Amino acid sequence: MFEGINWLIGIIKSMQLNDLIDILLVAVLIYYLLKFIIGTRGLQILIGLFFLLFLWLIAKILHLTTIEWIFDNLWSIGIFILIVVFQPEIRRGLAKIGERGLFRYSLLSKKKAIDEIIRAATFLAERKIGALIVFERSIDLENYTEGCVKLNADISLELLISIFIPQTPLHDGAVIIRDQQIVSARCFLPLTINPNIPKNIGTRHRAGIGISEETDAVALIVSEERGEISLAVDGKLHRDLDPLTLRNMLIKLLEIEKTDFVDKTLKKLKKRQKNEKA
């Protein structure tokens, strides 16, 4: 055991700056690769590939000649198979990098973004204007943004109200929120087929419940008939929420409290930028 520890310490001591940079870059690439894949069909495909790799290792150990020959020839064209199989994920990942880069962040804090959304929802509810706002969590909602209007805009009270005002081009459908950005508008979501849903629940609520059943997303629904605000989570509808309850639920569901340190750091950076400009 001590020999293994001494060997590890020796490797660490022998590492140079370029080795650390190399390890850091590989770690970042792996992180973003997993980030692009998790929550998509690519994750299941990746698990399947690891299963095939496991079978190949078993064939090597047991000297299964035919299986070994098949896998040896399969790996020789593996790079082309990976490109074909992961083509949608690769295209989506490169598009994301092109749109906003790997390290872009918004100076709008998550709590402030939530407050803007709640103010907009309250404004719309008081005037009985329907709205459907979907918050992306760990499962990527990219598949539901196909055919939508791409916005990639920072969240603001005015923009959200403008989107859902009746007779405007974007008012029909849902808005999808990712981090502190309105990613897409006029998105059409799958409707729930749960027979236990009350019959007086409209299409907008059924779409909110439907997306929360198929993914881990949270859907905020404003009713144009009753002027009430609801949240759909895990296929369940929490109805007639007041602003304070809504805020507490969103902070908990979106795990915003865990990002307080990041918010404070971003505020310090913003303040420093203002001081440098001054």
Side-chain angles (χ1 to χ4, degrees), residues 106-117 135 155 178-180 247 251 254-260 262-263 266-267:
S106 172
L107 289 176
L108 182 68
S109 73
K110 290 190 175 183
K111 282 188 177 179
K112 186 176 179 181
I114 290 299
D115 289 339
E116 289 287 289
I117 292 169
F135 299 88
I155 296 168
R178 177 182 297 136
D179 297 327
Q180 292 93 271
R247 186 177 192 271
I251 286 175
L254 303 178
E255 299 183 337
I256 290 175
E257 292 291 355
K258 295 181 180 180
T259 63
D260 275 351
V262 177
D263 288 342
L266 292 177
K267 286 179 181 178

Side-chain angles (χ1 to χ4, degrees), residues 123-181:
F123 178 94
L124 295 170
E126 289 173 350
R127 290 156 180 81
K128 293 188 176 181
I129 299 173
L132 176 54
I133 302 171
V134 179
F135 299 88
E136 180 184 272
R137 292 203 284 180
S138 61
I139 296 179
D140 199 307
L141 300 179
E142 193 70 22
N143 292 335
Y144 300 96
T145 63
E146 295 294 332
C148 304
V149 178
K150 302 288 185 181
L151 293 181
N152 293 321
D154 287 338
I155 296 168
S156 70
L157 167 70
E158 296 79 9
L159 179 54
L160 286 169
I161 292 174
S162 300
I163 289 173
F164 290 111
I165 291 295
Q167 309 306 320
T168 57
L170 301 180
H171 87 281
D172 197 16
V175 158
I176 291 181
I177 304 289
R178 177 182 297 136
D179 297 327
Q180 292 93 271
Q181 281 201 321

Side-chain angles (χ1 to χ4, degrees), residues 46-47 67 71 100 119 160 162 177 195 198 207 220-221 233 255:
L46 188 63
I47 293 172
I67 299 295
F71 276 109
R100 50 181 184 170
R119 287 174 59 205
L160 286 169
S162 300
I177 304 289
L220 186 158
I221 309 108
V233 186
E255 299 183 337

Side-chain angles (χ1 to χ4, degrees), residues 38-50:
I38 289 175
T40 68
R41 287 173 295 181
L43 179 62
Q44 284 73 35
I45 296 172
L46 188 63
I47 293 172
L49 290 175
F50 277 117

Side-chain angles (χ1 to χ4, degrees), residues 262-276:
V262 177
D263 288 342
K264 291 178 182 178
T265 303
L266 292 177
K267 286 179 181 178
K268 288 180 180 179
L269 288 172
K270 189 177 181 180
K271 186 176 181 181
R272 186 180 298 174
Q273 288 176 354
K274 287 184 177 179
N275 293 335
E276 289 176 354

